[in-house]
Amino acid sequence: MTNRLGTRTERAPAAVVERLVSLACLAPSVHNTQPWLWRHDDGVLELQADLRRRLPAEDPRGRNLTLSCGAALHHLQFAARALGWETSVDRLPAGAPDTVLARIVVSRTVHHAVARGDIDLLRTRCTDRRRFTAWPVPPDRLDDLCRRAGLWGARAEAVTSDAARFRLELLANRAISFLEVEGRRLLEQDRWIDRGGPDGIPLELLPDDPDPLQARSRFRPGVLEDTRLVIHGGERVIALGGDGDDVGSWLRTGEAMSDLWLEATRAGMSVVPMTQPIEVESTRHEIARTVLTSRFEPHLLLRVGWQAIGRRDLPRTPRRPLRDVFVG
Ligand SMILES: Cc1cc2nc3c(=O)[nH]c(=O)nc-3n(C[C@H](O)[C@H](O)[C@H](O)COP(=O)(O)O)c2cc1C
């Protein structure tokens, strides 16, 4: 096949597309729900939201679901580039059903070198909820990470001033306390812990919270709640979002999140999402109004910091087999 410039282009064969999808599925997702489906037809790959995997109590509008799909979309593009392929992406294609988030054509005109290190990065990235060290994250590193969001049409701001950090701590605690008394949400969350199958979060990856200074985990409500800190000394929080609070903006924020997370991993930093303050609409608005200095809709908070040197490797979260994520 030739393109408009008369250059020969090669569409990726099915085996390459399958490899790319399996790498895309290493993306982070809310509660490891992996809420995506893929269809490959006549050289075009389609990413669909798997609405059966939405969390009706915690994520009624599907923001976290779409962020997760956006991360998978970015992982796919990243993996393609690493393996020497090019992607052209049509987000929310006109005339397609609402569940179709993107159509992707994978092709190449010339053979590029394979970047093995980038493929390793996809396998190394993980959510490590162990306590961060006190080492501060240098402001220029944060700025570099935040700048990346713009490449994806998303917005990012690092929460750095003492006043903003204090305010965010207050709001995060308020949101967590609010969510802890909502039985419906707690039940839903519990259903995704230690399922023993190809999805959900294994118990061994969740902190047991014996230490009152440990960052509060959404998964283990503590006893001495008022003594617990959500945001510790060395770590910094990046708010990610966009101009709107809709599917299109969430998808782009998901792509930006994945990009930022992989680059932070490359630099040896650790990233842990913190979505409770965003899941409660009143604290989400307060964050936009009183914590952020630029005007945008926050979709997600990321805690960024350094983990202890010499820590042991964590077991990986499971993934669904390819046959379960491909639709015919
Ligand atoms: C949109 C989104 C929201 C998330 N929210 C949280 C959170 O609030 N707390 C948390 O500890 N992890 C959160 N995570 C991390 C997921 O639990 C994690 O990505 C998933 O279990 C897969 O594990 P992995 O990242 O190690 O591959 C979130 C991830 C995404 C994509």
Side-chain angles (χ1 to χ4, degrees):
M1 180 187 295
T2 50
N3 65 15
R4 270 177 294 169
L5 299 174
T7 318
R8 245 190 104 64
T9 58
E10 179 194 350
R11 283 264 172 107
V16 168
V17 171
E18 277 183 20
R19 172 136 195 243
L20 295 180
V21 168
S22 76
L23 290 166
C25 292
L26 295 175
S29 62
V30 60
H31 298 356
N32 198 23
T33 49
Q34 305 161 54
W36 43 66
L37 290 170
W38 305 86
R39 178 196 294 273
H40 185 219
D41 192 18
D42 201 20
V44 180
L45 180 64
E46 201 168 81
L47 166 63
Q48 301 176 2
D50 186 348
L51 296 185
R52 295 165 308 176
R53 293 181 162 258
R54 191 173 57 93
L55 304 168
E58 296 169 273
D59 188 28
R61 295 184 59 209
R63 187 193 287 120
N64 284 334
L65 176 144
T66 313
L67 289 170
S68 307
C69 290
L73 178 59
H74 173 266
H75 266 49
L76 184 105
Q77 296 167 79
F78 187 91
R81 204 173 41 248
L83 292 177
W85 294 87
E86 289 145 35
T87 45
S88 106
V89 180
D90 185 9
R91 293 170 186 80
L92 306 183
D98 286 352
T99 47
V100 176
L101 297 177
R103 290 204 177 114
I104 309 120
V105 175
V106 184
S107 60
R108 68 175 158 201
T109 45
V110 283
H111 284 256
H112 298 285
V114 170
R116 288 261 154 249
D118 281 359
I119 299 296
D120 291 345
L121 204 55
L122 291 171
R123 298 191 195 285
T124 314
R125 184 220 55 83
C126 67
T127 308
D128 184 345
R129 299 180 184 81
R130 287 174 293 192
R131 196 171 165 182
F132 290 107
T133 64
W135 296 325
V137 180
D140 55 331
R141 296 240 189 194
L142 283 172
D143 290 346
D144 285 349
L145 290 177
C146 287
R147 254 195 301 276
R148 304 195 69 86
L151 305 173
W152 300 94
R155 309 277 300 274
E157 183 178 319
V159 180
T160 48
S161 78
D162 287 345
R165 278 161 58 82
F166 183 79
R167 182 88 194 128
L168 184 58
E169 173 76 30
L170 207 76
L171 292 169
N173 267 292
R174 192 188 293 169
I176 293 170
S177 300
F178 175 83
L179 295 175
E180 274 174 4
V181 296
E182 283 233 329
R184 221 163 58 91
R185 288 176 182 254
L186 290 180
L187 274 176
E188 185 176 83
Q189 190 170 280
D190 268 359
R191 274 201 292 276
W192 289 93
I193 296 177
D194 226 16
R195 290 158 72 89
D199 51 16
I201 309 179
L203 205 54
E204 57 207 310
L205 293 178
L206 298 175
D208 57 5
D209 267 5
D211 174 355
L213 284 177
Q214 181 95 20
R216 275 171 64 161
S217 158
R218 68 179 300 153
F219 301 105
R220 291 276 172 200
V223 186
L224 292 170
E225 286 155 21
D226 56 345
T227 65
R228 292 177 174 226
L229 286 173
V230 178
I231 304 159
H232 285 270
E235 77 196 57
R236 286 292 176 267
V237 173
I238 291 179
L240 266 181
D243 292 328
D245 192 38
D246 49 35
V247 173
S249 309
W250 300 334
L251 191 66
R252 287 185 170 281
T253 300
E255 292 178 83
M257 168 187 70
S258 165
D259 181 19
L260 201 147
W261 199 332
L262 289 170
E263 289 315 313
T265 306
R266 198 195 294 278
M269 287 180 277
S270 182
V271 173
V272 180
M274 177 171 71
T275 38
Q276 301 100 315
I278 300 292
E279 287 165 20
V280 178
E281 211 39 34
S282 59
T283 46
R284 194 179 80 80
H285 282 305
E286 284 289 292
I287 289 169
R289 217 173 51 82
T290 64
V291 175
L292 303 180
T293 56
S294 41
R295 286 271 157 262
F296 65 88
E297 298 277 352
H299 301 152
L300 174 89
L301 301 174
L302 296 176
R303 297 165 54 220
V304 182
W306 306 98
Q307 289 284 358
I309 291 170
R311 63 193 181 279
R312 72 175 171 86
D313 285 343
L314 290 178
R316 317 304 302 190
T317 44
R319 289 296 183 274
R320 299 159 75 197
L322 267 193
R323 63 172 182 278
D324 288 4
V325 297
F326 264 108
V327 285

